[in-house]
Amino acid sequence: MEHKASDQIQNLQYFGEFGGINPSISDSSTYTFLSAKTMFDTFEGNTEGCYLYSRHSSPSNLYLGEALAALEGTESANVYASGMGAITAVLMQLCNAGDHLVSSRTIYGGTYAFLKNFIKKFDVDSSFVDITQLEAVEKAITPRTKLIYCEAVSNPLLEIADIQAMAALAKKHGIPLVVDNTFSPLSIAPAQLGADVVIHSLTKFINGSSDCVAGAVCASTDFCLSLKDVNQGAGMLLGSTLDSLRAASILKNMRTLHIRIKKHSENALYLAKNFEKDGLRVVYPGLPSHPGFQPMRTQMNPEYGFGGIMTVDVGSLEKANALMELMQQRRLGYLAVSLGFYKTLFSAPGTSTSSEIPLHEQQAMGLSDGLIRFSIGLDNNVERTYQMMKSCMQELGILEAREMCI
Ligand SMILES: *Cc1c(COP(=O)(O)O)cnc(C)c1O
């Protein structure tokens, strides 16, 4: 049967220590052993179900990991203290000095900076390519290439990766495909389309309340265990461990993810369609004008829609800034980075989340000054939101004021 992530999550059922309907939180950094021999065996990785030390694993983190594995339909999942904690652990685990990787050129600014600047210290090279051009991806692969990296829906340009085709290419060259699915939980299930490792920043839609940072790696049990290995595991040794209290609160928020994603998608589609009709330059994967519309349609789970993120190009940074300030004054949302909140969040990526990318490269990938990224909120009356946003745009001359009817 087809993998239905929301059903799988719904089937998870935990019992807390005293019969609670939420699992008990493991509020401990270390765990006691009744025999010294069991402690030794646990260090050697020979005991199942024993906890050692919470940087390695903890019951609360394992519960959240289980829910994330169910979400992506993978054997296992590890959780981390941030999305970057998850991304850097995976990349450091898969690459040795002298290795090379092929990455999409339109990725999260932090990931881009890590690949372009930081991982160089360890003599790992990256080639940045337009992943919508499969020949370009294949051409960049060399005998030293250890992985292909992309985002299912890219930040901030909303490019859509053809994951099946990319996975086939990775397989042909015997390397893993690593996909960051932060923008499209439930809408796209990369592992079901052939990706080997799926990463999330839980900070965004999955947690959905903008009150913490966290990350996850969903993959095979072997790979997840290798990240935790006490001698060789990047997760274990770099130490970006999620706190148990946070893991417990994220798990509780995940239970409403399916409802939230549907509403984010419904609202974003409504606004994108209407603003496009008004003549604005709107980028949203649910619009037939979007170059990724077809690949998105073939690989998405239609129940959850095209996601909550859209961009609008209002022509200049000055106009973008004025519009964002006005929308915030009118309580339409917050001028803030990040995404997946119940209120709409907006920012100009060129001067914020993608500022790590040099200007000439921003231009080459189509990231213009006047671009505003919207993470559309859960507004109950999106028609009203549309009218209010539209009047802000009219006041600033971004949209022409409506002609008077006589
Ligand atoms: C925010 C984000 C990240 C980084 O996650 P943090 O939780 O902030 O470390 C990675 N990838 C994408 C696509 C993101 O939006």
Side-chain angles (χ1 to χ4, degrees), residues 80-87 107-111 149 151-156 180-184 199-204 212-216 338-339 353 373:
Y80 293 93
S82 68
M84 284 308 294
I87 292 166
I107 49 174
Y108 177 68
T111 312
Y149 185 91
E151 294 172 2
V153 177
S154 82
N155 184 4
D180 178 336
N181 198 29
T182 301
F183 273 38
S184 40
I199 298 178
H200 279 284
S201 166
L202 304 179
T203 314
K204 315 295 169 54
C212 71
V213 284
S338 200
L339 36 125
T353 49
R373 182 186 74 188

Side-chain angles (χ1 to χ4, degrees), residues 322-394:
L323 178 61
M324 292 190 293
E325 286 168 12
L326 186 58
M327 287 189 299
Q328 180 163 256
Q329 276 168 26
R330 303 265 162 93
R331 303 182 184 202
L332 283 161
Y334 295 104
L335 202 181
V337 298
S338 200
L339 36 125
F341 197 38
Y342 83 99
K343 281 289 264 190
T344 296
L345 302 177
F346 29 80
S347 57
T351 54
S352 60
T353 49
S354 296
S355 56
E356 292 93 340
I357 303 173
L359 263 183
H360 64 278
E361 288 176 34
Q362 289 191 22
Q363 279 156 6
M365 61 176 74
L367 212 169
S368 56
D369 269 358
L371 198 75
I372 302 177
R373 182 186 74 188
F374 288 87
S375 165
I376 302 300
L378 300 172
D379 307 24
N380 188 45
N381 184 346
V382 70
E383 161 76 39
R384 171 176 174 270
T385 301
Y386 165 66
Q387 293 301 343
M388 286 176 69
M389 282 170 77
K390 192 167 166 175
S391 32
C392 292
M393 292 177 189
Q394 287 168 335

